[in-house]
């Protein structure tokens, strides 16, 4: 089966660093995505990992360990506008051309002054 | 500018009625998807389509129907058989990839919030 786990909620302070973890179990792993979603809006793409290691993009970084089925999203220098849900999604190898993503439940991050 | 458009943004349905949610994209994407999101929950896949005139059930297809008569359009009908339709509905589109190709994920529409009254 397929399973993606993330913490439901997290709280952090403005200016601090926060790490949001995601663990997954899936057959045929073919990439992991992180999306940011503000309440009532569409998710927007943050990062993509398919090989082990760290991908850095400005204040956001994402890490992947395929052997452990584990990823994290690291947010530095937190700002109030970073308060949102963060969705972890895994792309599966299904045979042939495809691009189907399986989403976790999301982590609601609250940034406090 | 290319994008994906969902309409309406808010929709109210009386019990027993069917309603259709619109999703249109001009990104020339082959694949389109419908997800449902409930408060505090992630995205659950309703239906997806990888080619015109073909679509597949997702994890929660019961009470929903779709069509894909044109590449650009993938409307979702919420039928009266869907017992708990109040939710936020998201449409997405993507290119199709062979295994190991590219980092392209989904482009999402802005969503339709459906409420049963």
């Amino acid at each position: 089966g397929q399973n993606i786990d993330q913490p439901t909620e997290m709280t952090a302070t403005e200016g601090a660093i926060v790490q949001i973890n995601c663990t997954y179990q899936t057959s045929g792993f073919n990439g992991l995505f992180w999306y940011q979603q503000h309440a009532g809006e569409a998710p927007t793409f943050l990062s993509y990992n398919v090989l082990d290691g760290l991908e850095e993009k400005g204040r956001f970084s994402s890490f992947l360990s395929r052997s452990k089925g584990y990823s994290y999203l690291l947010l530095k220098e937190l700002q109030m506008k970073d308060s949102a849900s963060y969705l972890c999604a895994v792309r599966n190898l299904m045979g042939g051309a495809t691009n189907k993503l399986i989403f976790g439940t999301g982590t609601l991050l609250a940034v406090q002054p | 500018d290319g994008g994906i458009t969902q309409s309406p943004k808010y929709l109210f349905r009386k019990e027993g009625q069917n309603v259709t949610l619109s999703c249109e994209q001009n990104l020339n994407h082959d694949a389109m998807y419908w997800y449902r999101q409930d408060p505090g929950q992630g995205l659950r896949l309703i239906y997806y389509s990888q080619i015109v005139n073909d679509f597949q059930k997702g994890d929660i297809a019961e009470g929903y129907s779709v069509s894909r008569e044109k590449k650009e359009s993938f409307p979702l009908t919420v039928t009266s058989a869907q017992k708990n339709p109040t939710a936020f509905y998201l449409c997405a589109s993507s290119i199709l990839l062979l295994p190991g190709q590219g980092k392209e994920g989904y482009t999402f529409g802005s969503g339709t919030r459906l409420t049963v009254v």
Side-chain angles (χ1 to χ4, degrees):
Chain A
Q2 297 167 118
N3 192 44
I4 300 175
D5 288 317
Q6 306 177 233
T8 303
E9 296 181 354
M10 298 184 71
T11 302
T13 304
E14 191 175 14
I17 299 173
V18 70
Q19 178 174 312
I20 302 174
N21 296 325
C22 172
T23 59
Y24 64 89
Q25 295 174 318
T26 185
S27 53
F29 175 83
N30 194 26
L32 186 144
F33 294 80
W34 284 95
Y35 284 85
Q36 180 191 61
Q37 185 182 25
H38 287 97
E41 296 182 10
T44 55
F45 171 81
L46 287 179
S47 70
Y48 170 76
N49 295 72
V50 66
L51 299 177
D52 291 349
L54 188 68
E55 294 282 342
E56 297 186 80
K57 189 188 296 185
R59 294 190 298 116
F60 293 4
S61 303
S62 57
F63 172 83
L64 175 67
S65 169
R66 288 172 296 170
S67 62
K68 296 182 180 179
Y70 168 68
S71 173
Y72 67 72
L73 180 70
L74 194 70
L75 290 74
K76 303 176 185 175
E77 303 170 13
L78 280 173
Q79 302 175 9
M80 298 299 291
K81 68 177 182 179
D82 296 330
S83 294
S85 284
Y86 291 86
L87 307 178
C88 174
V90 170
R91 182 164 64 199
N92 279 6
L93 191 91
M94 292 173 57
T98 186
N99 200 359
K100 188 175 167 206
L101 300 184
I102 307 299
F103 286 85
T105 57
T107 299
L108 182 61
L109 174 65
V111 179
Q112 298 178 338
Chain B
D1 288 340
I4 180 166
T5 302
Q6 287 186 245
S7 61
K9 191 169 180 66
Y10 298 95
L11 186 59
F12 296 89
R13 188 195 94 170
K14 293 183 179 179
E15 289 199 26
Q17 281 184 338
N18 293 356
V19 289
T20 297
L21 284 60
S22 170
C23 180
E24 304 275 337
Q25 54 97 1
N26 60 4
L27 300 165
N28 200 32
H29 284 172
D30 288 301
M32 298 186 74
Y33 314 81
W34 274 105
Y35 286 88
R36 169 181 172 141
Q37 188 174 34
D38 294 284
Q41 297 192 30
L43 305 183
R44 293 187 290 168
L45 183 64
I46 304 172
Y47 269 99
Y48 66 101
S49 168
Q50 299 192 137
I51 193 170
V52 173
N53 291 325
D54 186 58
F55 46 83
Q56 307 295 327
K57 291 182 179 180
D59 301 318
I60 54 166
E62 185 174 351
Y64 300 97
S65 66
V66 293
S67 63
R68 187 86 186 277
E69 297 177 1
K70 299 186 300 181
K71 187 176 185 177
E72 300 79 17
S73 179
F74 191 41
L76 173 74
T77 297
V78 185
T79 74
S80 56
Q82 171 48 239
K83 299 306 179 188
N84 186 21
T86 295
F88 186 53
Y89 290 87
L90 281 164
C91 179
S93 69
S94 75
I95 63 173
L96 292 176
L97 301 171
L98 292 171
Q101 284 184 330
K103 66 174 183 179
E104 289 78 11
Y106 290 0
T107 301
F108 283 92
S110 56
T112 294
R113 187 165 299 280
L114 173 65
T115 304
V116 173
V117 297

